Amino acid sequence: MAFRLVGSGGNISEPVLINVRSSGTITPNAPVVVVFGTTGAVVGPAGVDATRTTLFGVGLDYRGDSVGDDYFTKVIRFTPEQLWDCDTVNAVTTAQIGVRQALSASRGFIHNQATDSDGVTRVFFPIGIIGSTSGSGKLLGYFLVSPGL
C-alpha cells in the first residue's frame, strides 16, 4: 500500500470519501492533484511536480486513461490534521525526519532524500519511521497542503 491514513485528528476517525470526476491513469492509494484547465475533470494523477497548492488527496479506485466517458474516482481529501504512513523510493533513515520530501516520479511513493528545501514541491513532512531502516520502513508524517484552492 503506497499511502495509508493513520489518523484524522479530532473526534472524527473515519475519513470523508469524495467521488470526483477524474482524468488520466489513477492507481489505488496513490496521490492525485487538481487538474486545472480541463473540461470537467477535477483530479488527475500526481507526480514530482505536485505542489502544496495542487495536491488534492489519495485516490482509492483504479481508473484507466480512457477518453470520452465520465470517470469518477473516490478520493480521501488531504487535510492538515491527517497523519499518513507512506512508502518511499529509498531506504528510510532518521536523517529524513523533519525534512520536507517530494513525491516520486513513480507514483505512490515519497522520493525521500535527506535534504530540505523551501520549494513548493516538498509536500510531505515526516515526523517518524514505521518499521525498519534497512529498506522496508515507511515514513510517518503530514502532507503539506494549502487548504482550499
Side-chain angles (χ1 to χ4, degrees):
M1 179 176 286
F3 296 138
R4 184 174 67 92
L5 181 62
V6 177
S8 297
N11 295 327
I12 300 172
S13 60
E14 295 296 320
V16 175
L17 302 180
I18 306 168
N19 202 28
V20 295
R21 190 156 190 268
S22 59
S23 68
T25 302
I26 296 174
T27 56
N29 304 313
V32 294
V33 293
V34 174
V35 180
F36 295 108
T38 63
T39 309
V42 176
V43 298
V48 294
D49 57 346
T51 67
R52 296 177 199 160
T53 57
T54 62
L55 197 60
F56 188 81
V58 170
L60 300 178
D61 303 317
Y62 174 79
R63 187 233 184 258
D65 195 21
S66 298
V67 179
D69 292 324
D70 286 338
Y71 286 95
F72 288 83
T73 302
K74 287 188 216 73
V75 175
I76 298 175
R77 173 86 162 105
F78 286 134
T79 60
E81 66 275 356
Q82 292 171 333
L83 187 61
W84 293 83
D85 77 37
C86 301
D87 289 335
T88 59
V89 172
N90 305 306
V92 295
T93 69
T94 55
Q96 295 161 357
I97 303 302
V99 177
R100 293 174 295 243
Q101 307 292 328
L103 293 176
S104 172
S106 55
R107 297 179 175 95
F109 294 92
I110 296 296
H111 185 50
N112 54 321
Q113 63 279 344
T115 59
D116 200 359
S117 171
D118 288 332
V120 295
T121 59
R122 302 296 191 249
V123 296
F124 186 74
F125 184 74
I127 61 169
I129 295 174
I130 296 175
S132 170
T133 58
S134 64
S136 61
K138 298 178 178 207
L139 288 175
L140 177 71
Y142 297 93
F143 280 94
L144 304 170
V145 294
S146 298
L149 297 171

